[in-house]
């Protein structure tokens, strides 16, 4: 468990527009990094964190954020992908070869079976 301090900034606070802008840009930077990692992972290529960092150094999101925020976003993403790989290697995650529509149909069937049991 990790203890954190929570700061609540309401929309009428004087720092709200700046906090909102920074959190939005940080989210965009995280999503860009995550997209690059995901594309390389699912295409079978290994991704180097330094290469991703260098690729995004010139992006507008990276330049608009303070350096400390930018440098803390990438290790957070690396931690996420590392935990995903460790769980996948342990065998807890299997990537289904089903298409989205097939997967959706199977989920609907499971849901209907649960409804018809009369457990409620």
């Amino acid at each position: 468990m990790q203890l954190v301090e929570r700061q609540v900034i309401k929309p009428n606070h004087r720092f709200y527009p700046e906090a909102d802008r920074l959190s939005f840009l940080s989210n965009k930077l995280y999503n860009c990094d995550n997209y690059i990692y995901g594309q390389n992972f699912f295409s079978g290529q290994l991704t180097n964190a330094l290469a991703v960092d260098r690729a995004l150094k010139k992006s507008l999101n990276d330049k608009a954020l303070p350096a400390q925020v930018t440098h803390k976003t990438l290790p957070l993403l690396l931690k996420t992908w590392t935990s995903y790989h460790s769980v996948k290697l342990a065998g807890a995650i299997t990537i289904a070869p089903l298409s989205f529509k097939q997967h959706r149909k199977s989920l609907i069937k499971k849901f209907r079976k649960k409804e018809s049991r009369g457990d409620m």
Side-chain angles (χ1 to χ4, degrees), residues 79-96:
K79 184 178 176 184
T80 304
W81 276 96
T82 304
S83 66
Y84 173 77
H85 289 300
S86 64
V87 169
K88 187 167 188 255
L89 287 175
I93 297 176
T94 57
I95 298 175

Side-chain angles (χ1 to χ4, degrees), residues 8-103:
V8 178
I9 300 176
K10 296 182 180 178
N12 57 357
H13 194 276
R14 64 183 174 133
F15 294 132
Y16 181 80
E18 183 67 14
D20 186 46
R21 185 184 72 83
L22 289 175
S23 62
F24 178 72
L25 290 174
S26 177
N27 190 17
K28 283 179 72 172
L29 181 68
Y30 181 88
N31 286 340
C32 287
D33 289 348
N34 195 24
Y35 177 77
I36 291 171
Y37 270 93
Q39 290 297 311
N40 289 340
F41 173 72
F42 291 115
S43 67
Q45 299 174 355
L46 294 176
T47 306
N48 185 2
L50 188 59
V52 173
D53 189 39
R54 285 183 182 161
L56 293 174
K57 280 282 186 206
K58 297 176 184 176
S59 73
L60 296 175
N61 295 333
D62 189 64
K63 290 183 179 183
L65 285 169
Q68 187 177 11
V69 174
T70 304
H71 293 301
K72 290 194 177 196
T73 303
L74 189 59
L76 180 65
L77 183 71
L78 287 174
K79 184 178 176 184
T80 304
W81 276 96
T82 304
S83 66
Y84 173 77
H85 289 300
S86 64
V87 169
K88 187 167 188 255
L89 287 175
I93 297 176
T94 57
I95 298 175
L98 301 174
S99 70
F100 177 73
K101 288 183 179 179
Q102 290 172 334
H103 184 65

